[in-house]
Amino acid sequence: MLTHHHLDHMGSAADLVAATGARVLAGALDAPYIRGTAPAPEPELTPAERRLFAGVMGGLSAAGTPPPPPAEVDRELHDGDTLEDWPETVRVLHVPGHTPGGIALHLPESGVLFPGDLIGTDPEGRRAVLGPGNVAREEALASFRRLVALGADTVCVPHGVPLRTGAREVLAAATPATDWL
């Protein structure tokens, strides 16, 4: 399951498929970038994001990290799709903005949310922020607000500390429109 096409989320997908026969599921609009059949759009970076990305990309370059190889997407996911082969039904939410085809996964029965990079947290997990590096900031803000409205009890962020208690309050107090300015 890939929430979006960025290298830190899809970097090992092709190798995992080769090693295990795993299937790749991803948002339909990000599938061409994952397959390598279309160039990925560049993010619209704020000045603070430019500094962050320069450091991250410089570190990757210095380490000799190659770009991720393309991976076949076996199932393209759309808003409202469900995944039935989990212990409980998972709702797929199309949440554009960070990338065109970004998705989040919501497990309504248990109140768990996997938001992809739309939501991150500070190192203590006391503050939620809009993930940096969005291709369409206004869409990302709308998607962020959509995820907050779900009222999840647990938010499993890929960058930061998972919100395991008080997630609703932390998300309600978030100010994504001013993050990264």
Side-chain angles (χ1 to χ4, degrees):
M1 177 69 58
L2 303 176
T3 58
H4 62 290
H5 74 269
H6 288 156
L7 69 100
D8 59 326
H9 290 261
M10 68 156 281
S12 299
D15 292 336
L16 287 170
V17 168
T20 68
R23 295 178 56 228
V24 175
L25 289 71
L29 295 179
D30 269 19
Y33 316 128
I34 295 165
R35 290 184 178 115
T37 59
E42 292 294 323
E44 299 172 359
L45 301 176
T46 68
E49 290 174 323
R50 273 192 215 98
R51 288 188 296 278
L52 173 69
F53 273 66
V56 169
M57 298 314 284
L60 291 172
S61 179
T65 305
E72 183 54 44
V73 175
D74 299 296
R75 180 174 172 196
E76 295 184 11
L77 300 171
H78 300 87
D79 192 62
D81 285 351
T82 57
L83 306 176
E84 306 289 336
D85 53 350
W86 289 40
E88 68 178 83
T89 300
V90 178
R91 290 183 45 229
V92 175
L93 306 170
H94 176 230
V95 286
H98 186 64
T99 66
I103 59 168
L105 304 175
H106 183 222
L107 290 73
E109 291 173 37
S110 59
V112 174
L113 175 67
F114 295 88
D117 275 359
L118 275 170
I119 299 174
T121 61
D122 67 0
E124 293 81 34
R126 286 186 254 140
R127 183 172 165 252
V129 297
L130 176 68
N134 299 295
V135 297
R137 187 172 176 81
E138 290 305 314
E139 283 185 352
L141 289 168
S143 291
F144 187 103
R145 291 181 185 108
R146 178 183 185 198
L147 296 180
V148 169
L150 295 172
D153 299 313
T154 302
V155 181
C156 302
V157 298
H159 302 287
V161 177
L163 299 173
R164 296 179 8 182
T165 59
R168 291 177 192 201
E169 293 79 14
V170 170
L171 292 176
T175 56
T178 58
D179 294 338
W180 302 104
L181 297 180

